Amino acid sequence: MALRVGVIGGGQLARMMIAPAVELGLDIRVLAESEGMSAQLAATAVGDYRDLDTVRAFAKDVDVITFDHEHVPQTVLRALVDDGVAVHPGPNALQYAQDKLVMRARLAELGAPQPDWAAVANTDELKAFLDDHGGKAVVKTPRGGYDGKGVRVVRDAAEVSDWFADVADGDALLVEELVSFARELAQQIARRPSGQMVAYPIVETVQRDGVCAEVIAPAPGAGDRLAQVAEDIGRQLAEGLGVTGMLAVELFETDDERILVNELAMRPHNSGHWSQDGAVTGQFEQHLRAVADLPLGDPTPHSAWSMMVNILGGPAEGTFEDRFEAAMSQHPDAKIHTYGKAARPGRKVGHVNVSGADLDDVAYTARATAEHFA
């Protein structure tokens, strides 16, 4: 009988695991939050991932559980482990992706390079941090933020007074120094339960309005030293945090040429979408191999350059189907991936991958293809 992999969450990441699961001979099953989600082709159950009975019922019919997102509560995750279910990544690792304060404290224990930070429970504590860091900082809600949500750059502690009003006794917000960085990078590592790890090339990520817009692989101008430092950080964190599956480490390259850890994701990640078409083994296949404890695939790129451009928002008029003919005929070397989502301003509804020998040509083709869906 085929190994049964259960994915909690029915979004586009689960959707993009379906094809490689079929190719690997895995039986993929998805617990979707609602009907009609991106991964509906493999949705064998619909329900609340926060409800233990719902998740337990789903887990009974699979051999291993993995995730489309990191939001399943720790109580549910630990109950599954107590039931003897294989959960990858497990709750001990996922806690560091679920709570940024817990992550920062653990990274400090591991000696990983990161911005100055503090837990602040009130405006007086935040004001003291601002005074010590040039009068400006980044404040984050420790849990639940993504794509720029739950993040504010502040110059006055009163700018997050509404967040402090919602902070329960004993809890806090995360404040970090406002890093002066030259660019943002990302390092992906795959790790299986038996310990084998492979690293993808360091990539450059371009953000717009807090959302990843483009990814260039490998990061232009990334010399051997930078690439090795980033890979070493990724491997250190994958092992030190006990990650199984894909780990994405978002990084700052500072103006003074330091590398600092920004955030973590323990699943396939936007910064790795290029690998679907640009590497020997894409991140979605690699994640499935890792959580199933199968030998990991080769992460080597096919071409000198790959670029991913997100399709954000979608067509203002008409449908995706209306745009495919022109996009495909004008750019036959582009790979177009759509998520089965309705168009909405700022929403990630698809992406384009292009690979080739010349970065300028690759970038032009990827951007021009994506523009057809604006």
Side-chain angles (χ1 to χ4, degrees):
M1 185 172 68
L3 184 72
R4 301 165 299 175
V5 178
V7 183
I8 296 180
Q12 65 259 26
L13 301 181
R15 176 190 181 98
M16 288 182 278
M17 291 184 210
I18 296 172
V22 171
E23 292 165 357
L24 290 170
L26 301 175
D27 180 357
I28 187 169
R29 306 180 182 194
V30 172
L31 171 60
E33 294 89 332
S34 59
E35 299 283 355
M37 293 191 68
S38 292
Q40 60 182 318
L41 283 172
T44 57
V46 175
D48 187 351
Y49 60 80
R50 297 164 297 185
D51 179 72
L52 178 55
D53 290 339
T54 298
V55 176
R56 266 188 170 140
F58 176 69
K60 284 180 180 178
D61 294 325
V62 300
D63 299 303
V64 60
I65 289 285
T66 191
F67 309 94
D68 170 86
H69 56 72
E70 294 108 337
H71 306 312
V72 180
Q74 281 285 314
T75 52
V76 173
L77 296 171
R78 294 188 184 279
L80 292 181
V81 173
D82 290 343
D83 291 344
V85 177
V87 179
H88 296 299
N92 289 339
L94 276 170
Q95 64 179 325
Y96 303 115
Q98 293 177 329
D99 190 311
K100 295 180 178 67
L101 280 171
V102 175
M103 176 197 76
R104 287 293 180 210
R106 180 59 178 150
L107 293 190
E109 292 174 354
L110 292 172
Q114 57 180 334
D116 287 341
W117 65 278
V120 290
N122 53 58
T123 54
D124 288 342
E125 292 178 357
L126 176 53
K127 183 178 184 304
F129 188 92
L130 287 166
D131 291 344
D132 290 341
H133 292 82
K136 53 188 177 182
V138 178
V139 180
K140 299 178 179 180
T141 54
R143 303 178 67 86
Y146 65 97
D147 285 347
K149 299 177 178 66
V151 179
R152 292 181 189 172
V153 176
V154 303
R155 289 169 174 78
D156 187 311
E159 293 178 54
V160 288
S161 57
D162 56 327
W163 284 0
F164 280 124
D166 292 332
V167 171
D169 289 342
D171 289 338
L173 300 176
L174 170 64
V175 60
E176 300 173 353
E177 67 169 306
L178 185 61
V179 175
S180 179
F181 60 89
R183 59 178 174 172
E184 293 184 70
L185 305 169
Q187 175 67 60
Q188 281 196 305
I189 301 288
R191 181 174 182 268
R192 51 190 290 214
S194 57
Q196 182 194 8
M197 285 190 279
V198 298
Y200 284 83
I202 183 73
V203 302
E204 179 176 344
T205 65
V206 179
Q207 320 295 318
R208 296 197 185 108
D209 299 323
V211 178
C212 180
E214 298 179 350
V215 175
I216 306 169
D224 292 344
R225 176 185 171 277
L226 184 150
Q228 191 60 58
V229 168
E231 181 177 332
D232 289 347
I233 291 170
R235 288 179 180 272
Q236 176 198 22
L237 296 186
E239 186 168 358
L241 303 178
V243 179
T244 46
M246 291 298 303
L247 168 68
V249 184
E250 298 181 50
L251 301 161
F252 293 128
E253 182 180 7
T254 68
D255 292 338
D256 57 357
E257 299 184 342
R258 292 177 297 148
I259 300 295
L260 302 177
V261 178
N262 179 19
E263 297 194 354
L264 305 175
M266 297 180 188
R267 49 174 169 75
H269 187 253
N270 209 159
S271 64
H273 287 356
W274 69 272
S275 67
Q276 275 179 294
D277 307 296
V280 175
T281 307
Q283 66 164 347
F284 297 100
E285 177 183 341
Q286 198 77 280
H287 184 73
L288 291 168
R289 286 179 178 235
V291 302
D293 206 13
L294 298 170
L296 300 179
D298 184 354
T300 304
H302 287 303
S303 304
W305 298 102
S306 290
M307 189 165 182
M308 187 282 308
V309 176
N310 269 324
I311 300 171
L312 300 173
E317 297 180 357
T319 66
F320 279 100
E321 291 73 22
D322 298 335
R323 312 300 178 91
F324 274 107
E325 177 72 25
M328 289 179 170
S329 62
Q330 293 180 34
H331 307 289
D333 50 343
K335 295 291 189 177
I336 303 167
H337 302 268
T338 56
Y339 304 158
K341 291 181 173 182
R344 189 174 72 201
R347 190 183 203 187
K348 291 179 186 174
V349 293
H351 68 269
V352 172
N353 287 332
V354 178
S355 299
D358 183 86
L359 179 55
D360 288 341
D361 290 343
V362 165
Y364 169 78
T365 301
R367 291 166 180 159
T369 306
E371 188 64 27
H372 281 280
F373 299 92

